[in-house]
Amino acid sequence: MNPSQWFTEQVPAAGSAFSLKIKQKVHEEQSEFQHLEIYETETFGYLMVIDGCTMVSTRDNFFYHEMMSHPALYTHPNPKRVWIIGGGDCGTLREVLKHDSVEHAVQIDIDERVTRLAEIYFPELCASNNDPRADLKFIDGIKWVKDAAPNSVDIIIVDSTDPIGPALGLFSEDFYRDCYNCLSENGMIVQQSESALFNMTLIGEMRDAMSASGFNHLQTLFFPQCLYPSGWWSATLASKTDLSTFREQDSTDKPFETIYYNIDIHKASLAQPEFFKKAFTK
Ligand code: AG3
């Protein structure tokens, strides 16, 4: 095996790695904020890597983007205003805009280069960027939320990298408190929350910080994502109001195509593994 033909992301703490066979590296740059690479792979289409971590591949991004958006949007009673913090590849934005209730979706990614590269290598993820409801901003999402007026958004989706570099502040109690203050009455956050096999400490800290900042209702949901460490990923919902039900009829009647999400997947993603229940009573 020639290592130069493979991209590998190692997770030293877990003694684990994931590799994809590559045809070639097609782009590499140091942006103002992070190191960006694009590979053409043998079997996963294009692959975007940020600071050595896999972000998105053509072949399997649908799991993540659908599960970062549809469960939350079908849980909120009437989501009209959605903000995506991070998400520069525009895949989450595309899913959010599939919901007719959404009147305004703002994507706030600090690094414009991520979006410019996605437009070239992942044009399908950028298919809704010209939707009149879409608003792309390239500024600091932490500051955006801090400066926002009360009751200015219904759902905040935090589609970030791991809690390193510019994303670190997105996993803090201060950030969650700022989110709480600008969310509407039934408002909620949904944030990518890493692997429940490898990152239970982080998930615990996130959940504690979310509760401490006023969110009384938490729900972590699970889905496969073979690109990411352990292949088993999660998102955590933090809401001002009850999360025990969702708009099942609307989910059943969804007027748009998905590849992974449907009502059964939604319900299944809410099932809590035994070790998870033991770790978190809330
Ligand atoms: N968000 C990245 C999730 C974290 C991946 N972590 C890793 N490979 N170590 C991806 C952005 C997709 N819109």
Side-chain angles (χ1 to χ4, degrees):
M1 184 171 113
N2 177 353
S4 71
Q5 292 176 334
W6 292 80
F7 170 81
T8 297
E9 178 183 344
Q10 291 189 14
V11 186
S16 165
F18 177 75
S19 299
L20 283 177
K21 192 154 198 267
I22 57 169
K23 286 187 180 155
Q24 55 178 329
K25 185 186 280 193
V26 294
H27 186 84
E28 178 166 18
E29 71 179 81
Q30 180 67 41
S31 76
E32 195 186 335
F33 302 99
Q34 46 208 356
H35 190 74
L36 308 172
E37 292 167 277
I38 309 277
Y39 295 88
E40 186 184 354
T41 73
E42 288 281 351
T43 57
F44 273 61
Y46 286 104
L47 168 69
M48 182 186 286
V49 174
I50 298 185
D51 288 337
C53 295
T54 56
M55 286 296 124
V56 60
S57 87
T58 310
R59 185 174 181 186
D60 80 339
N61 75 81
F62 62 88
F63 291 105
Y64 178 94
H65 289 137
E66 292 183 10
M67 296 307 283
M68 285 294 287
S69 38
H70 305 311
L73 273 99
Y74 278 130
T75 301
H76 191 283
N78 188 17
K80 293 185 176 163
R81 301 162 299 173
V82 179
W83 294 348
I84 299 153
I85 310 292
D89 56 58
C90 306
T92 299
L93 178 67
R94 185 187 68 171
E95 294 307 309
V96 165
L97 290 167
K98 289 180 178 175
H99 291 254
D100 291 335
S101 69
V102 172
E103 294 171 356
H104 191 204
V106 191
Q107 177 189 292
I108 306 114
D109 196 301
I110 199 165
D111 194 347
E112 180 169 359
R113 290 300 303 151
V114 174
T115 300
R116 298 299 162 232
L117 291 173
E119 286 166 347
I120 300 168
Y121 297 105
F122 301 92
E124 69 283 6
L125 300 184
C126 299
S128 299
N129 288 7
N130 293 325
D131 186 307
R133 299 170 297 159
D135 193 352
L136 276 65
K137 298 194 185 300
F138 302 105
I139 52 174
D140 180 0
I142 296 172
K143 184 166 173 355
W144 169 265
V145 169
K146 198 182 199 45
D147 295 345
N151 187 23
S152 45
V153 59
D154 301 315
I155 299 182
I156 299 176
I157 302 178
V158 188
D159 178 4
S160 72
T161 57
D162 295 350
I164 43 169
L168 189 57
L170 298 172
F171 292 78
S172 73
E173 194 179 318
D174 284 350
F175 172 69
Y176 299 139
R177 187 163 291 117
D178 292 337
C179 289
Y180 191 95
N181 290 337
C182 65
L183 279 163
S184 55
E185 200 187 348
N186 296 306
M188 63 184 75
I189 309 181
V190 53
Q191 179 165 24
Q192 76 88 1
S193 50
E194 310 276 314
S195 164
L197 188 63
F198 289 176
N199 310 105
M200 276 298 271
T201 307
L202 171 74
I203 296 176
E205 287 165 2
M206 275 178 76
R207 291 174 58 108
D208 285 349
M210 286 166 159
S211 303
S213 57
F215 293 98
N216 286 325
H217 305 270
L218 304 182
Q219 169 80 55
T220 299
L221 50 90
F222 302 92
F223 50 94
Q225 188 64 60
C226 70
L227 192 64
Y228 295 165
S230 87
W232 184 48
W233 215 245
S234 72
T236 297
L237 285 146
S239 175
K240 293 189 178 187
T241 53
D242 184 36
L243 282 170
S244 65
T245 57
F246 66 100
R247 291 186 287 120
E248 295 196 22
Q249 196 59 50
D250 291 343
S251 169
T252 304
D253 299 339
K254 71 178 170 59
F256 52 79
E257 292 280 314
T258 45
I259 304 173
Y260 182 64
Y261 177 87
N262 59 34
I263 184 166
D264 296 326
I265 290 290
H266 188 149
K267 286 184 186 165
S269 76
L270 303 176
Q272 303 290 288
E274 205 58 23
F275 75 88
F276 207 82
K277 279 203 258 186
K278 284 194 182 120
F280 307 118
T281 47
K282 208 165 171 188

